[in-house]
Amino acid sequence: MSISFMVGPHRVRFAGKTDIGLVRAHNEDSLLIPREMALAVVSDGMGGHAAGDVASRITVETIDQHYRDTARSGPNTWPFKLPSLEIEKQRMSVAIQLANSNIFETAAADGSKKGMGCTVDAIYFNQGRFFIGHVGDSRVYRIREGRIQMLTEDHSLLNDYLRMKELSGDEGVHFPQKNVVVRALGLADQVHVDVIADAFKVGDVFLLCSDGLSGMLDDRVMLEIITARDSLDTSCNELIKAANDAGGNDNITAILIRIEKP
């Protein structure tokens, strides 16, 4: 069931769902649908690594806790009546870096979890802007005026080759290491976080998803599914069904967010 928050004069509505898919033995994805503020997170435990589900859960819980702690800390931590762009960008970056530290320290203390890691995409809405924190190959898309745009850039070996023009688009489809990520949480004691900030407007729809969705469906199909229904819950269900119909080769997680009039 969708949930909404007032963010200034706008209503921000959220819905999300995760699914094990048709191949994996268990679900290593985690997601956060907001409870206290307009914050959502998708995290994909690293396939082939120990305790990926633990890493993704730590990530979601740490980001959620950091945002709640900083919201309660008041003027001593956030001394401006209206938060500036740079303060909110730093808030997002610190939340994800804390998650990285918690994963790394948990793995160091427990040999059975050595090497665990995960991707993350988090989004927060405040003062007419959205703030995205991104590490890995999960994705954030924005649908605006009938067009879909990927706002994040995959931290993957495949994308590195494509950016360096070492592969054509057709070669990328058959690239044997397309699931190899080159940046993730938990693999080192520090991580660089991509932070994206921009203004939102009424009618915008955001999709946060693990690669179990984006790897099975092309952008055009996702756009058609999302724009065909008014219900975000129904669209989430149909996205996951379509990914499973296409093979369901991985865990599948989708969060949809729509900017509405009050």
Side-chain angles (χ1 to χ4, degrees):
M1 184 176 182
S2 67
I3 185 170
S4 66
F5 291 84
M6 293 303 298
V7 178
H10 302 95
R11 183 175 298 279
V12 184
R13 187 173 302 279
F14 298 79
K17 185 176 180 180
T18 187
D19 187 83
I20 193 172
L22 302 179
V23 175
R24 302 293 187 186
H26 63 286
N27 195 345
E28 295 186 330
D29 287 3
S30 297
L31 78 165
L32 172 70
I33 298 296
R35 294 177 290 176
E36 298 182 14
M37 64 190 77
L39 170 72
V41 185
V42 166
S43 182
D44 179 357
M46 299 266 297
H49 286 261
D53 56 331
V54 176
S56 67
R57 186 170 65 251
I58 289 172
T59 293
V60 166
E61 292 173 352
T62 300
I63 295 170
D64 183 31
Q65 188 65 53
H66 178 72
Y67 267 82
R68 287 189 281 125
D69 288 346
T70 50
R72 287 194 294 262
S73 61
N76 290 333
T77 301
W78 308 107
F80 305 104
K81 186 174 181 180
L82 294 177
S84 72
L85 176 66
E86 291 306 315
I87 286 173
E88 287 297 350
K89 288 170 69 175
Q90 182 183 35
R91 188 183 187 191
M92 176 63 76
S93 180
V94 168
I96 293 176
Q97 290 175 36
L98 284 172
N100 180 74
S101 295
N102 288 344
I103 296 166
F104 188 77
E105 291 170 4
T106 299
D110 183 349
S112 69
K113 297 179 176 61
K114 183 179 180 181
M116 71 177 178
C118 63
T119 70
V120 64
D121 277 310
I123 190 167
Y124 176 63
F125 297 85
N126 194 16
Q127 298 297 328
R129 293 190 181 101
F130 63 86
F131 300 85
I132 295 169
H134 167 68
V135 179
D137 63 351
S138 295
R139 293 179 176 180
V140 181
Y141 293 86
R142 179 179 61 197
I143 294 92
R144 175 179 282 181
E145 297 174 353
R147 293 189 291 271
I148 187 168
Q149 177 187 7
M150 189 169 75
L151 300 179
T152 53
E153 182 176 356
D154 291 349
H155 300 142
S156 66
L157 189 61
L158 170 59
N159 194 51
D160 282 354
Y161 274 94
L162 291 172
R163 282 194 295 107
M164 293 185 295
K165 302 189 186 302
E166 297 287 337
L167 294 174
S168 69
D170 289 339
E171 289 172 328
V173 172
H174 303 290
F175 187 63
Q177 296 171 304
K178 64 171 57 181
N179 294 324
V180 175
V181 296
V182 296
R183 197 191 309 174
L185 301 191
L187 303 187
D189 59 351
Q190 295 184 351
V191 68
H192 178 73
V193 181
D194 290 354
V195 179
I196 303 158
D198 200 357
F200 61 77
K201 65 181 185 179
V202 170
D204 284 350
V205 177
F206 296 85
L207 168 66
L208 281 66
C209 64
S210 62
D211 67 340
L213 182 71
S214 59
M216 302 305 299
L217 305 177
D218 64 31
D219 293 359
R220 177 187 56 80
V221 172
M222 292 191 291
L223 176 63
E224 289 175 355
I225 292 171
I226 293 167
T227 56
R229 300 282 187 273
D230 288 333
S231 167
L232 296 184
D233 290 296
T234 300
S235 294
C236 282
N237 290 335
E238 292 189 0
L239 284 169
I240 288 174
K241 181 180 184 299
N244 277 324
D245 288 346
N249 293 337
D250 202 351
N251 308 143
I252 310 160
T253 300
I255 294 177
L256 286 171
I257 305 157
R258 186 169 60 218
I259 312 299
E260 303 175 349
K261 294 180 180 179

